[in-house]
Amino acid sequence: MRFAVSFFVKYLFSLILLSSFLLILPIAATSQAAEQKQAEQPPMRFIIVRNSLCQENCPEWISAEGRITADTPARFRKILKKMGERKLPVVFRSEGGDVDAAYAMGRMIRKTGVETAVGGTRLKGCPVQDTLCDAAIAKDGTAAGYTYSAGAYCFSACPLAFAGGTSRVASQWSFIGVHQITTIYNRVRVSYRIEYKIVNGKKKEISRKEIGRTAAGQSSSTKLGKKANAALTAYLKEMGVSDDVIDMMMSATPDNIHIVPAADALRTGLMTDMLAYNEWPGMPLCAPDAAAETVCRRHPAAAASVAVAAPVVAAAAEAAGVPAFKASAQNTAAQASESLPKTQPMDFLLMSNGNCQEECKQWISADGDITPDTPARLKAFLETLGGRKLPVVLQSNGGDMDAAFAMGRMIRAAGLETSIGKTQLPNCPKLDPRCKASIAKSGPTEGEVFAGGGHCLSTCTLVLMSGMPRIVGYSNIGLVRPTTAEYTKFFAYFDEMGVSGKTYETMMLGTSIERGNIVRSQALELGIINGIIPNDDEPGMHVCGPEARESLRCPRKAEAEIVPATVSVN
């Protein structure tokens, strides 16, 4: 006999684990950077902002501030659709949030081909305590304002979204921070209605229907499971970021933040470049054909480089029987000399600012090619100063390597500052910028000095790296390649000056470094320079004579004016 039995079974499966992945932010701030952010941000919102500090052709960007939640990608998709064909940079200021949502945002950013930056946005007319006030936002969701770097942060899951940018930048005054992924497990008690029938004396299930769920507690783990690890590794690879970032993440517990130093961010590809002192978050990367008046970063006119076609050089060298390494160095020097103004052997001038009334700053202008007798002339010049420690402002295409070594050791022994800059004498023609008529017969020569457009190429870089400190503004820093015979003493000098020779050697062999100049971010990473000249400053303003009184033009303490190259957090 067959018959059906229907009955209600409660809690047949009592504990079913459902997992979701979420980056948990620190409960208590334990670092300098963390202390600067709010306890908890509202969900991320997006605003298309136009720069309010210009008159026409003003840059725009997408302000992305707030916590990344599960619905953030959907709202971001709407703003991208609103942009149409425009490719506006995304400026992040976020404490992080949902990892899967960050992945989705990063992929959207990469697919759209837009840049990313770390920075905060202040809308025009908003109070300090509410920089993105609703009153400043138009009905169409746009606003006018400007960005800032100081204290801006991209923490936790935010760097994953940030990694989607085709160009990824931050300044030395902002923070990128990572920590462990926390997997949260929610225990759920599930109730079913199950119907059975008896067939040949045995129960057989014929239907199952879920009728209720109740929470049964929660647990968490910071151990990165195989699935989560695979997803993270695949995503970083997709974005061109080294999986060394995972080790950084695992080094900080969920209630802490590992601040990623600029050098590590650049090395791993988390950042592609570092903002210069006069660049701001959201400033787009210049197109190769950008006009001089275009507001953009890495402007071709200001960051002109000498391109070296490595494969062509190597092939030509092989055909001529010349070592490719040496031929590359010769080719670099030849192209540099063709593309830059011809100069005379380096001379040294004691300069004084000609646009001040009293306590005028002074500097040593070192301009010209480095020749074998340059060290002797530098020694004689320094002796005339009677021990005064004035900054050395370099402008040179380079020259003799041994002479550069000698100059560098002399500058290091004297404890002098080095920088790059263009010294301008009054009433001199462009073809003769150091005309004799403008040079004082005794005492300092009056003039001005500018960071923008200066250059220190080839072996000049060896002199630059000897400074204590060594700082640059928006100037060109040149690369130098040793020949096989010069190799040993070349890197011994690097070690002597505290510069990372091993890192330089690695970069030198890479295809991306086959060019005549090196960007400031790489120079910082190597230690060739250890600071960047602030926006409102020029070379030579950092060290004053022993008799100088305190003044705005001549601050007594060098360390008060030097911007640190990296941020360290205890």
Side-chain angles (χ1 to χ4, degrees), residues 36-50:
Q36 297 181 33
K37 69 180 185 60
Q38 301 172 4
E40 185 173 347
Q41 288 181 308
M44 182 174 284
R45 64 171 175 170
F46 305 98
I47 307 167
I48 297 178
V49 186
R50 175 180 175 273

Side-chain angles (χ1 to χ4, degrees), residues 18-163:
L18 302 177
S19 65
S20 62
F21 299 99
L22 180 67
L23 277 176
I24 304 300
L25 285 154
I27 296 173
T30 57
S31 71
Q32 294 174 4
E35 289 170 359
Q36 297 181 33
K37 69 180 185 60
Q38 301 172 4
E40 185 173 347
Q41 288 181 308
M44 182 174 284
R45 64 171 175 170
F46 305 98
I47 307 167
I48 297 178
V49 186
R50 175 180 175 273
N51 192 300
S52 62
L53 304 179
C54 63
Q55 300 299 320
E56 55 183 60
N57 299 323
C58 299
E60 293 181 302
W61 64 90
I62 299 172
S63 168
E65 296 200 18
R67 187 175 176 78
I68 300 172
T69 61
D71 62 344
T72 300
R75 286 184 280 111
F76 184 55
R77 189 176 290 108
K78 290 181 180 178
I79 204 78
L80 291 178
K81 186 176 181 181
K82 186 175 182 178
M83 280 170 46
E85 297 299 319
R86 294 182 298 164
K87 295 184 183 295
L88 304 184
V90 182
V91 180
F92 282 104
R93 180 175 174 270
S94 171
E95 61 184 19
D98 189 285
V99 171
D100 289 333
Y103 288 158
M105 287 183 67
R107 290 187 169 109
M108 275 188 268
I109 288 171
R110 182 60 59 87
K111 184 177 180 180
T112 308
V114 298
E115 303 169 37
T116 55
V118 178
T121 298
R122 287 193 177 99
L123 301 185
K124 186 177 180 180
C126 287
V128 176
Q129 65 273 19
D130 185 12
T131 56
L132 301 177
C133 61
D134 292 335
I137 304 173
K139 290 183 179 179
D140 62 355
T142 62
Y146 62 94
T147 61
Y148 62 91
S149 289
Y153 52 87
C154 182
F155 287 161
S156 196
C158 176
L160 298 175
F162 170 78

Side-chain angles (χ1 to χ4, degrees), residues 26 28-36 155 175 256-259 569-570:
T30 57
S31 71
Q32 294 174 4
E35 289 170 359
Q36 297 181 33
F155 287 161
F175 303 93
N256 217 321
I257 283 285
H258 172 78
I259 301 299
V569 178
N570 295 323

